[in-house]
Amino acid sequence: MPGERLSIRDNSAVGRFHGASESNGRAVPERHTEAKVKKEESGCRRWLRRACPCCIRQQSNPDDFTKEEDAGAGEEEGPVSPVPPSIDTELVELSLAVRSVDLLSRKSDRNRKEHHTDQYYGDQLIIRRGQTFQIELDLSRPFNPNTDKLHLELKTGPLPLVSKGTHIIIPLVDELQDERWEAKIVEQNMNRAKLSINSSTTAVVGKYKLTIVTQCLKTGETTTHDPDKDIYMLFNPWCEEDTVYMEGEKELKEYVLNDTGRIYYGTEKQIGARTWNFGQFDEGILEACLFVLDNSEVPPSGRGNPISVVRVISAMINAPDDLGVLEGNWSGNYAGGTSPTAWSGSVEILRQYHKEGGKPVKYGQCWVFSGVTTTVLRCLGIPARSVTNFQSAHDTDVSLTTDVYFDENMEPIHDLNSDSVWNFHVWNDCWMARPDLPPGMGGWQAVDSTPQETSHGTFRCGPASLAAIRSGQVYLKYDAPFVFAEVNSDKIYWQRNLDGTFSQIHSEKKAVGHCISTKAVGSDERVDITNIYKYPEDSEEERIAVETACRYGSKPEIYSSPIAEDVQVEVRMEGEGPRMGGDAQLKIVVKNTSSQPRRTTLHSQVAVMYYTGVLKGTVKKDTVNVELMPQEEKVIDWILPYTQYQNQLVDQAALMMTLSGRVSETQQVLANQTSFRLRTPDIHIEPIGEAYVGKETSAKIMFTNPLPCTLRNVVIRVEGLGLRDLHPIIVGDVGKHANVTVTEHFIPTIAGQRKLVASLDCKQLTQVHGVADINVHESQ
């Protein structure tokens, strides 16, 4: 350009654009030699010229014009063609970017079907935690694992943090592993790549923003892509590692996927039923349920724990203290709102609450609170059902009794008669393991969203373990005393004495907790589940549960304390305990430490138990009369035949024995719970010869089937750090009591004491493993 002075160095720039004017508009002949060199340069050299001008002499700074003006003397000045845009075509080709993302989120897509979310409205990606899902990426060029990096990020909540589990970084790996966030490219066709993504079984539920981050190692350039659609993460009752795991497709279809149900009302002799539309898959309901969580006190980081989520849902469905979904009204005057009896479903209630920004909907009573709770829990992936209790007690003073007070003249004292018995009351059961409680307390949990009494300052109730309620273990959280009183409290009548004290004058032991009802699995029939909440009326177990519970109430003296506690009961196991495949034998030891004879009736029952503490079902019940002389100890041999448990075991072959009884002379309550596991055989590993680094060696692996039946599709998985990577050995079927011997060959890579580990992979037999020490020498 006129007035600008060019240096010799400028020739390299001009030479790249053939025919450019160098001076006074004269065409300059092509410098063929330089052009040829340019043409033969590699892409990397051209990148280096752009990135580092001092290494490859190329003008990139206007200051260079003046620094070398003498070197350019003699050349004529003239206009120069404009410098082209700085975007380097080769750099663009090297960079890796995501052009678009297909979340494969249509109802007909594999993700939605495999995750049992294809019934939810819309085409959002709705998935369940602990299960793989797939997405497809359209890239700017094919992905090269040697020169490119790629990872995904998921963020939820207003302040996502990695430490809180609300900002998740998902690395790209070669092989996916269970129970962790990872991604793997499973298909690649030119610029398109399909990723399979594994999620954690403890992931926070909620709505996530997805970001894909790509990086080209050659250029160091990083790009990000944020798809328009969000990802919704739910609990996964189909996943065995999820706390809400439920066994049985029929049960899952009923308690998670059924969007209609039946709610019972009336009296125990005149039970009515009404259909309720839960509508958990309807338009806007998932968003409304997450809105309920957002309005709660639980931060996003706490939404991976179903115990916390259920507890906050119990609080948020009612309105008194946190502007929850429904405002209760028992006055009979429903002006300004909808009568509770007019509602027939949850959808409009939740939509209205969401649409109006969290303004409580008017009005609700117990069955409405329960119906909405069922909708929200099922929508989030927690198995749930509505439950009706007839003759339902409302204990207001934590006495665990329903108390009726009279004055000296047998006139009711209304100021004291705050306890009540409702004709019926509706709440919910939800299903989950309870790792926060002793073993055996998982399974169905009672949760009540009707605002009756506060729990830790908020109107909420539960989750309370039904197993704890049934046995009277009301000291186990949450709110077990209140639920116990609803279903199994005694009705106690009191009369005021002349000195102002009260004396118990009468009691009713069958006054509350009748015909506890819920909809049957797979039909519209009513099923009575009273036996899940309490032992049969008048049974000794039921009386023991009541008296045990009341000792933790505000009036522990209601039931006479035992005169003495001088009888002990315990369960003993010989050696390492019962073995799988044979009869399980235990010893029940009952000891009288007193100087007087003692008599008791001991009840025993054994139930199969998941390792999470959820009981599957009872496999044996016994009753035995025990008579003890002074200072006598009796040992009772207890046997569980293999035929009674062979088809019942789950997970790690765990069982729970429960003992209960009462000493006749002293009224002492005997109780004991013992969990035990049926021992499985070991895998024996025998090294063959000496082991040296870099040289093949071998070991003999031996296993005996302990069961009187054939094991199907047996695989032995072998691995050892410094010995070999994980290697599955396919064994196939193993006959009853058959021996298996395989030889494993491997090449050690690290010297020293190493461990070779083997484990059995077989659905019929779990927790079978073995280990051997391998002394690896340096290579000779």
Side-chain angles (χ1 to χ4, degrees), residues 263-554:
I263 295 179
Y264 300 94
Y265 63 95
T267 67
E268 59 180 303
K269 294 183 179 180
Q270 295 174 305
I271 297 176
R274 61 182 302 161
T275 298
W276 193 267
N277 292 320
F278 299 122
Q280 66 267 33
F281 306 122
D282 272 28
E283 181 179 3
I285 297 304
L286 177 56
E287 288 284 359
C289 293
L290 295 178
F291 177 74
V292 171
L293 284 180
D294 289 339
N295 275 9
S296 74
E297 63 183 25
V298 175
S301 59
R303 299 177 193 171
N305 183 351
I307 301 169
S308 300
V309 170
V310 165
R311 191 148 171 78
V312 78
I313 291 300
S314 170
M316 286 300 300
I317 298 302
N318 64 69
D321 42 29
D322 45 20
L323 295 179
V325 176
L326 271 168
E327 181 178 329
N329 188 338
W330 287 264
S331 70
N333 179 7
Y334 308 118
T338 301
S339 168
T341 56
W343 299 111
S344 60
S346 310
V347 172
E348 291 306 314
I349 294 171
L350 287 166
R351 282 179 181 165
Q352 181 178 330
Y353 180 72
H354 187 200
K355 181 180 178 181
E356 297 185 1
K359 181 182 178 181
V361 177
K362 300 178 180 181
Y363 294 101
Q365 290 183 8
C366 64
W367 64 91
V368 188
F369 288 109
S370 173
V372 174
T373 300
T374 300
T375 299
V376 175
L377 294 182
R378 288 186 184 180
C379 184
L380 297 177
I382 299 174
R385 63 190 184 188
S386 290
V387 172
T388 302
N389 177 38
F390 294 92
Q391 292 297 104
S392 186
H394 181 173
D395 176 26
T396 59
D397 61 357
V398 202
S399 64
L400 285 86
T401 56
T402 303
D403 299 300
V404 181
Y405 293 92
F406 296 91
D407 62 15
E408 297 86 346
N409 300 316
M410 290 301 294
E411 294 292 334
I413 305 175
H414 297 294
D415 291 343
L416 296 181
N417 290 333
S418 56
D419 290 352
S420 60
V421 177
W422 298 19
N423 286 341
F424 74 96
H425 181 49
V426 189
W427 62 73
N428 295 85
D429 287 343
C430 62
W431 181 274
M432 66 181 69
R434 288 300 298 271
D436 58 325
L437 299 182
M441 296 301 149
W444 286 116
Q445 314 287 312
V447 54
D448 194 345
S449 299
T450 300
Q452 298 179 87
E453 299 294 325
T454 59
S455 171
H456 297 164
T458 302
F459 281 101
R460 58 188 167 188
C461 181
S465 166
L466 265 59
I469 294 164
R470 191 171 193 254
S471 61
Q473 294 174 275
V474 296
Y475 48 85
L476 297 175
K477 56 187 181 183
Y478 292 92
D479 309 312
F482 186 82
V483 180
F484 180 90
E486 287 182 301
V487 300
N488 206 14
S489 59
D490 286 351
K491 197 170 187 177
I492 309 294
Y493 294 83
W494 304 85
Q495 184 177 21
R496 187 166 60 196
N497 301 316
L498 292 175
D499 61 0
T501 61
F502 286 87
S503 296
Q504 180 179 335
I505 58 173
H506 180 62
S507 66
E508 293 182 50
K509 294 180 170 59
K510 304 178 185 179
V512 304
H514 301 165
C515 302
I516 304 176
S517 303
T518 192
K519 177 185 173 299
V521 172
S523 78
D524 285 336
E525 297 300 315
R526 181 183 70 88
V527 60
D528 192 309
I529 58 171
T530 307
N531 65 309
I532 299 177
Y533 273 86
K534 60 181 182 179
Y535 290 102
E537 295 285 4
D538 286 336
S539 68
E540 188 169 26
E541 295 99 325
E542 188 264 344
R543 285 293 90 197
I544 290 172
V546 171
E547 295 176 24
T548 299
C550 286
R551 291 196 181 99
Y552 294 92
S554 60

Side-chain angles (χ1 to χ4, degrees), residues 738-777:
N739 297 316
V740 173
T741 300
V742 295
T743 301
E744 175 71 353
H745 302 278
F746 53 95
I747 300 175
T749 57
I750 301 176
Q753 195 82 357
R754 318 305 299 172
K755 290 185 181 295
L756 188 66
V757 180
S759 62
L760 194 75
D761 186 358
C762 175
K763 188 174 183 179
Q764 298 156 276
L765 193 61
T766 61
Q767 287 291 82
V768 178
H769 45 75
V771 62
D773 290 326
I774 308 290
N775 188 20
V776 181
H777 305 285

